[in-house]
Amino acid sequence: MSFSLELSADVVQVRDWVHEFAADVIRPAAEEWDEREETPWPILQEAAKVGLYSMEFFAAQTAEETGLGMPVAVEELFWGDAGISMSIMGTGLAAASLAANGTMEQLGEWLPQMYGDINEPKLAAFCSSEPGAGSDVSSIITRARYDEATDEWVLGGTKTWASNGGIANVHIVVASVYPELGSRGQASFIIPPGTKGFSQGQKFKKHGIRASHTAEVVLDDVRLPGRLIVGGREKFEERIARTREGKSSAGQVAMKTFERTRPTVGAMALGVSRAAYEYALGYAQEREQFGRKIGDFQAVAFKLADMKARVDAARLLVWRAGWMARNNMPFENAEGSMAKLVASETAVYVTDEAIQILGGNGYTRDYPVERWHRDAKIFTIFEGTSEIQRLVMSRAITGLPLK
């Protein structure tokens, strides 16, 4: 079989369709919603009406046979604006967690409730991080205990940095059932809308992606029907039994979700990088200083060359991870983390260079590179910091339990 990086006709069609939506609907609204620091419900409604914000769209891109459907679509979306697109994509993390670990009955009941419909779109939230446990998921202190008398799970604790936290229709919460087992004693739970004892805490005012809602959620003696443990109680207890016997198990529920979504986060960062590169390129081709286009100066031209090379290199890593995941190839060298690491740090680098090329203009809010620069930083932090990605990668390639 010959090797080719040419996108299939189906992927190209989706890419162009998403790009059109990003250009016509998202970009014109980006500055407004960044300033408002609110969830852009009108944009979500438009996305739902055209089928972009829907369970079916994300399922189709995930199932696309080459594995490039989701990375390509996400890059175009985030090329439009990272904050608005995070509001569109935020539900995907919770959906990915449920899809990876839930029963068929849970998928059938809760996935539709995560997205709503074209008339009334809904949101979902994945809640893992805590005030004292961000990257260190083994330190999660939110507890869940099973009440045999009532067949209920009782949860207590506080989650933080939750995209859509508190305003989502459905929340997926990671909690520790057997604290003595660390991360291997954790499970995920489905929190239905209107659950007593579940509430939103502090809403965060952020440096970037400000059109995406991020908040704490508080669980105060939350009681859930026994069936709302993701994957079912029987399967969970079987995994715990294998762990206690020293046998291999599925491991950390939070990290399993993150590993599935890291290539997608890389694609998000890639969209921001490309937007900044393209804008800086256009500016350099038009802006004149000393009687010449600034792109004629080697100092600027070399910056653009490095920006373009890094964007394209990051894209290849993201595509490889997407292709591997679709073909059920294990990330033996942490290829998911590799894609996320390089793409996220590329976004920071490229947006910083874009500001430098625009000079004083780039530092003002009159030009979008300032916003893209603020947005880019989050990709080196959420769903595993750059330091965590390097730790995961180094453990994978050395086989040693690095600390």
Side-chain angles (χ1 to χ4, degrees), residues 1 3 12 18 60 95 102 105 123 132 140 147 209 336 358 362 372 382:
M1 179 184 295
F3 176 77
V12 169
V18 176
E105 292 78 10
L123 299 172
I140 284 175
D147 187 338
I209 59 167
L358 269 68
W372 294 332
F382 72 178

Side-chain angles (χ1 to χ4, degrees), residues 58-72:
F58 288 105
Q61 301 319 304
T62 301
E64 190 275 323
E65 61 180 8
T66 68
L68 302 184
M70 183 64 80
V72 169

